[in-house]
Amino acid sequence: MCEDCGCASPSHNHKVVDVNQSLLAANDALAEKNREHIEELGAVAINLISSPGSGKTTLLEKTIERLGKELRIGVIEGDIETERDAERIRAKGVPVVQLTTGGACHLDAALVHKGIHALEHQLDDKKLDLLFIENVGNLVCPATFYLGEHQRVVMISVPEGPDKPAKYPRAFIGSDVFMISKTDLLPYFDFPSEMAIKDALLLNPKLKVMSVSATTGDGFDSWLAYLRSLCR
Ligand SMILES: Nc1nc2c(ncn2[C@@H]2O[C@H](COP(=O)(O)OP(=O)(O)OP(=O)(O)O)[C@@H](O)[C@H]2O)c(=O)[nH]1
Ligand SMILES: [Mg+2]
């Protein structure tokens, strides 16, 4: 019998729930400190969440190409292993820090705290306009962990299929922007955009919906206008 509530289930897991809640509360408290630190740098932070390979790093590369001279951009990269994404961003000439989780499927506030400090060391005048945090490729775990960001962008690419908002609701409920990527592939995949958008807006009517193709450049004007509006 469960000792906490007297129910018949021997596997009743109040204690597991309590531990998870206090872990999340500790994460959120640290995330608030991250946010203060980000604001001291003068930056707006964006947490970018998507499945592996949806095009997060490519979106950042193209964004830096177009906006890198106008705004001071910094990037924190999250991956399970390798420095590869950081190397791609470094090649674009902006400060970047690679965080590797060694197996964990998401970034947390403690790791991002280290990332912000490491990034700050690369800034001559300790100032940034935009900080992108590319989360570990995953639509599930990153949705639960607030990192101190001001805006959260959830992205799905055309080849993944339009059912992702309905199947992975939490990432969409907690985001500010829903981005559809790789729209150049629409002629080759069965991806009714209106279905994905309808499902996403049912979950979160406040989502700003955007779409981009890094290959053709379609949709970048709206994306860049949104980024500029955050930095005003
Ligand atoms: N056709 C097409 N391919 C794209 C587009 N954007 C990215 N890709 C390709 O998609 C693949 C994955 O892109 P990445 O930017 O590395 O994806 P990611 O989301 O950063 O991947 P992880 O960091 O591993 O989660 C690469 O081969 C890109 O060239 C696009 O707009 N259109
Ligand atoms: Mg990447």
Side-chain angles (χ1 to χ4, degrees), residues 18 26 34 37 39 51 54 93-94 98 102 108-109 113 127 150 153 159 165-166 185 196 219 222-223:
D18 287 349
N34 287 347
H37 196 167
E39 288 177 0
S51 305
S54 300
V94 302
Q98 179 77 53
D108 63 23
H113 169 81
K127 287 289 168 203
H150 298 83
V153 175
L185 299 178
S222 302
W223 167 241

Side-chain angles (χ1 to χ4, degrees), residues 56-58 77-79 85 88 134:
K56 296 180 291 300
T57 311
T58 310
E77 283 290 344
D79 275 299
D85 280 1
R88 288 169 60 186
E134 180 182 334

Side-chain angles (χ1 to χ4, degrees), residues 111-150:
L111 204 49
V112 169
H113 169 81
K114 289 184 188 156
I116 297 168
H117 278 277
L119 195 70
E120 194 176 13
H121 285 304
Q122 297 181 36
L123 306 177
D124 295 334
D125 54 0
K126 308 271 180 244
K127 287 289 168 203
L128 271 184
D129 298 311
L130 260 181
L131 171 62
F132 288 106
I133 305 170
E134 180 182 334
N135 220 309
V136 178
N138 185 341
L139 273 180
V140 186
C141 319
T144 307
F145 287 81
Y146 172 49
L147 305 176
E149 72 270 17
H150 298 83

Side-chain angles (χ1 to χ4, degrees), residues 199-217:
D199 283 351
L201 290 176
L202 270 175
L203 292 164
N204 179 357
K206 291 190 177 151
L207 279 171
K208 290 183 195 63
V209 180
M210 296 184 206
S211 57
V212 283
S213 164
T215 307
T216 65

